[in-house]
Amino acid sequence: MRLSLASLGILAMTTVAIPADLPAPDKLPSVAEFPDVLATRDGTKITTKKDWEERRRPELKELFQHYMYGRFPAKPTKVTAKVLFEDTKAFDGKGTLREVEITFGPPEWPKIYLLIAVPNGKAPAACFVGPNFHGNHALTAHDKVRIPTEWVPASGPNVVKNKATAEGRGKQADTWPLQQVVESGYAVATFYCGDIQPDRDGVPEGMRKTMPVYKNVPLDETATVMWWAWGCHRAVDFLVTDKSIDAKRLAVVGHSRLGKTALLAGAFDDRFAVVIPHQSGCGGAGPSRSKNPKAEPVKRITTSFPHWFCANFTAFGDDTTKIPFDQHALVAICAPRPVLCTNAEEDQWANPAGQFDVLTAAAPAYKLYGDTKPVAAKMPETGKLSDERLGYFIRTGKHSMTPDDWKVYTQFADKWLK
Ligand code: GTR
């Protein structure tokens, strides 16, 4: 079966044109170290903010689409929202909790269910925005919160045959500690990533269903991490209309595969004033040209999770020297907005030291905006936040997202969003 694009409504969206002259991955030149973020493909050195914004940044966005995440889908023509419930006395009366259904395409397209927690009396509040792993209901015991009907990973709490159940309510409340964040004066808006694209390969579901999934799939077809990032942008489409949220003070946050998503979402949408990829690793803020033998290699990630990236990225295989950028360039696209990479010592798979190298190599783009010291001279000691514009934090412990991690995000936001 070949899905008809017109019947699925794909013609309602336009995508950014990719220049025809981009070579196949194996035809690109080998570059052993991080490619110069300020040098264009034709070798021109960028020295001004204007040339960065008009030449190099758009070029990098095209390269990331074509060779890594797939095409960045355009904004849908219509985004509408319906409040499903609102509790103005949530969190011991300190906040308001509501869930909003966001519809952003033809009726058969997926919808986003955005769970929003806002501190009472603080409107308009700065807001952390991001996708979650297993459903909004897992983040709070509140019985009005919707239970996802989409496929969910079996690893989720009380998931039965890949379906979420009411028994899972509140079981992952520590990963997005809504009350703690609300009490620190910030709002939170989160949605189940599977609303947009369930995290499995090959099945025509979610936003993938709107693309040609069976035949003639372009090598740069929109991949799952890009769809998740696009979902974050749709959440923002609603949030900027919400009077309780300060549209100028949005921070995008995500953990691990959703940390990769947070960085990509921040790079491709400057409505995010702060970008926080947590333990994002390979495909996020971790370098593809990794020097850490314990870190996840590109070949491994594209084999284990082929749907996260487009086929062109898989084609690099072991030879990451042919990738015409490294992840420092994705961070650089965010300039001058603050980016905080947070990590854990025992999570070498996510390459904590490599992420600091990535921040350091992104600094020249930030310097174009007049920040003479956008990044610390060396990796900060464990447990100490380095709160430069290119911020960094590493704690003891493992791969997880905890209430203590959220204290670091709010500390960073206190500096950059106040
Ligand atoms: C791992 C994967 C990582 C990271 C992680 C996660 O299996 O290798 O890149 O994304 O999953 O999302 O928890």
Side-chain angles (χ1 to χ4, degrees), residues 133 199 228 255-260 279-283 296 300-301 304-305 308-309 349-350 399:
F133 274 85
D199 189 8
W228 289 334
H255 179 216
S256 204
R257 66 200 70 185
L258 301 177
K260 310 179 204 307
Q279 300 174 344
S280 63
C282 183
E296 181 174 29
R300 170 77 184 265
I301 204 170
S304 313
F305 306 101
W308 287 358
F309 307 98
W349 193 240
H399 190 72

Side-chain angles (χ1 to χ4, degrees), residues 135-157:
N136 296 341
H137 72 296
L139 309 182
T140 166
H142 201 291
D143 65 359
K144 290 273 187 338
V145 175
R146 182 179 173 273
I147 296 173
T149 52
E150 294 302 326
W151 179 95
V152 285
S155 56

Side-chain angles (χ1 to χ4, degrees), residues 43-107:
T44 311
K45 184 83 181 177
I46 298 295
T47 55
T48 66
K49 194 170 88 177
K50 182 169 183 289
D51 280 348
W52 167 255
E53 290 179 358
E54 288 175 7
R55 298 185 59 191
R56 180 61 171 157
R57 191 168 64 185
E59 175 178 278
L60 284 170
K61 283 183 161 183
E62 271 173 17
L63 294 175
F64 275 108
Q65 290 174 72
H66 187 67
Y67 291 113
M68 188 162 182
Y69 300 104
R71 275 171 284 143
F72 176 48
K75 183 177 169 158
T77 43
K78 202 169 164 216
V79 180
T80 51
K82 182 168 108 191
V83 177
L84 299 182
F85 86 87
E86 181 169 66
D87 178 354
T88 57
K89 296 194 172 57
F91 313 116
D92 307 321
K94 293 178 190 137
T96 295
L97 186 68
R98 60 177 172 272
E99 198 164 33
V100 178
E101 178 190 81
I102 303 174
T103 307
F104 48 79

Side-chain angles (χ1 to χ4, degrees), residues 217-266:
V217 176
L219 298 173
D220 59 0
E221 170 158 316
T222 308
T224 296
V225 171
M226 182 61 101
W227 277 125
W228 289 334
W230 183 85
C232 296
H233 301 168
R234 304 294 66 84
V236 173
D237 292 345
F238 169 73
L239 291 169
V240 300
T241 70
D242 184 327
K243 300 265 177 301
S244 65
I245 304 292
D246 186 343
K248 295 259 177 301
R249 295 187 297 146
L250 302 178
V252 62
V253 186
H255 179 216
S256 204
R257 66 200 70 185
L258 301 177
K260 310 179 204 307
T261 301
L263 179 55
L264 182 63

Side-chain angles (χ1 to χ4, degrees), residues 23 26 36 114 127 142 149-150 155 163 285 323 351 356 406:
D26 63 337
D36 183 350
L114 191 64
C127 184
H142 201 291
T149 52
E150 294 302 326
S155 56
K163 290 284 169 202
I323 303 174
N351 203 351
F356 189 76
W406 279 89

